[in-house]
Amino acid sequence: MKQENSNPSDHTKSASRTQRLAVLALLTAAALMIYAIESLLPTFVPIPGIRLGLANVITLITIKRYGARDALLVLLARIFLSCFFFGQFMSLLYSLCGGLFCMLVTWLICLLLAGNYLWIISIFGAIAHNLAQLAVAFFLTKTPGVLAYLPFLMISAILTGLFTGLCAHFTLKHLPAKR
Amino acid sequence: MKKLPSPRKTAILLTILILGILIACAGFLLFSPKRSHADRLIAEIYQDGVLIKSIPLWEVTASETFTVRGQGGEENVIEVRNGSIAVISANCPDKLCVHQGFRSDTLLPITCLPNHLVILLRPEAPENGGQSDALTY
């Protein structure tokens, strides 16, 4: 009797876990693809650290739809895989510091705003990402001169964060509802 | 558990914060006293935070190139011209330092992060104007 009860629930549970795994893998693949395409684009501004950060759209979508834990998994998978595929070991440190600090701030602001106003969440994530990368740059070069990039990086973070936030917002509108 | 303020209120506060950062940065860039197109600029090349070369750019008559090498096999070829300096080739993957091109103002340093290289431009200090001539060239 007990087994009959537990079996169907086990079945649905494992099915939903499989589905979650598939969805997260899909999101990771999408993030990797966006990252790869973005790295092929020529740099618009010849300033290190200024980039669109389109792969963050996937992080935002994941955190909004599936929560911070899954978003963290997708982010880490994307960073490590992109390093193995396209990058060199050096960029891992930058990506990890930027990505993790961005994730932390995104999560906190997301809690504060209860998941609304995705563009604000995204802007703060971008600011955190750029701050963390500048900190790594400062740590690596040990030259205070790199701090001259701070205002440029902040302005670009606000603009690109707004853009990626709006991208995520409109993408979420068109994605089929979570089942 | 402490109740969070309403998302709407927080959103307004955060938007004001964003605008504040934007205005502060824009203001800093527009009115930065550091920005200088002075005739007499000194290029300082740092690697791992150590000043390895200091070049008074106004004294450069013909363009010349030299290579800065790091411990990990990094190489940056730097070209100096009269009044400007650039990294013209590098063996880092992103080549951002090369894309920064020739610089002749003090606004932004040239940086090659993978090679831990920073090139700062600063105007010749007026109080010890004669000192720069004695620096390593």
Side-chain angles (χ1 to χ4, degrees):
Chain A
M1 189 70 192
K2 204 181 173 188
Q3 272 201 334
E4 271 172 35
N5 277 345
S6 66
N7 269 344
S9 79
D10 267 3
H11 183 70
T12 44
K13 202 178 169 190
S14 85
S16 80
R17 277 174 68 184
T18 314
Q19 195 193 25
R20 175 172 161 263
L21 185 69
V23 167
L24 292 188
L26 195 67
L27 285 166
T28 309
L32 263 175
M33 217 145 67
I34 293 173
Y35 184 85
I37 292 170
E38 199 196 339
S39 67
L40 291 177
L41 293 176
T43 43
F44 298 105
V45 195
I47 296 175
I50 293 190
R51 45 200 294 278
L52 215 41
L54 273 177
N56 202 36
V57 171
I58 300 295
T59 311
L60 288 167
I61 290 173
T62 318
I63 202 170
K64 178 122 191 215
R65 277 272 167 98
Y66 302 97
R69 210 181 112 223
D70 290 351
L72 183 66
L73 287 176
V74 170
L75 177 79
L76 286 175
R78 194 256 294 169
I79 289 175
F80 280 105
L81 285 175
S82 67
C83 258
F84 292 143
F85 286 162
F86 329 102
Q88 72 292 16
F89 186 71
M90 253 309 296
S91 67
L92 184 65
L93 185 64
Y94 285 108
S95 303
L96 265 184
C97 288
L100 288 180
F101 194 50
C102 170
M103 190 69 223
L104 179 71
V105 170
T106 304
W107 176 62
L108 287 175
I109 302 281
C110 197
L111 282 184
L112 278 178
L113 294 174
N116 300 310
Y117 307 100
L118 211 51
W119 56 276
I120 295 182
I121 299 173
S122 167
I123 286 176
F124 277 94
I127 288 177
H129 180 271
N130 283 6
L131 277 180
Q133 293 211 320
L134 189 66
V136 176
F138 179 62
F139 175 73
L140 281 179
T141 61
K142 302 181 190 73
T143 313
V146 294
L147 296 180
Y149 288 107
L150 183 67
F152 289 93
L153 290 179
M154 289 300 98
I155 291 175
S156 86
I158 291 171
L159 297 179
T160 59
L162 182 64
F163 180 73
T164 53
L166 292 176
C167 281
H169 178 78
F170 289 116
T171 311
L172 272 169
K173 270 191 172 174
H174 291 282
L175 274 182
K178 185 185 173 186
R179 281 196 292 145
Chain B
M1 196 180 132
K2 218 179 113 189
K3 203 175 172 296
L4 290 170
S6 78
R8 196 184 153 78
K9 223 171 173 176
T10 320
I12 294 170
L13 280 176
L14 291 176
T15 311
I16 294 171
L17 182 61
I18 292 169
L19 287 177
I21 296 173
L22 199 61
I23 291 168
C25 290
F28 179 81
L29 289 182
L30 287 177
F31 303 107
S32 169
K34 281 182 174 174
R35 184 170 198 154
S36 159
H37 287 275
D39 293 335
R40 293 159 87 80
L41 286 175
I42 296 172
E44 291 176 333
I45 301 170
Y46 290 89
Q47 194 172 35
D48 288 309
V50 180
L51 180 64
I52 55 169
K53 219 173 169 85
S54 178
I55 306 166
L57 288 177
W58 69 92
E59 285 180 358
V60 179
T61 46
S63 70
E64 65 174 285
T65 59
F66 54 89
T67 307
V68 175
R69 291 189 172 81
Q71 296 121 342
E74 306 93 352
E75 277 185 5
N76 292 80
V77 181
I78 296 169
E79 181 172 334
V80 283
R81 293 177 183 171
N82 192 342
S84 62
I85 186 164
V87 179
I88 55 168
S89 80
N91 63 354
C92 55
D94 54 5
K95 306 266 188 284
L96 274 170
C97 49
V98 181
H99 290 307
Q100 283 184 275
F102 278 90
R103 300 216 67 98
S104 55
D105 61 66
T106 55
L107 190 61
L108 269 186
I110 301 175
T111 354
C112 181
L113 288 178
N115 298 0
H116 303 187
L117 186 88
V118 180
I119 303 175
L120 287 176
L121 289 174
R122 62 174 179 85
E124 182 194 29
E127 61 268 34
N128 49 7
Q131 197 211 347
S132 58
D133 291 344
L135 288 171
T136 49
Y137 179 65

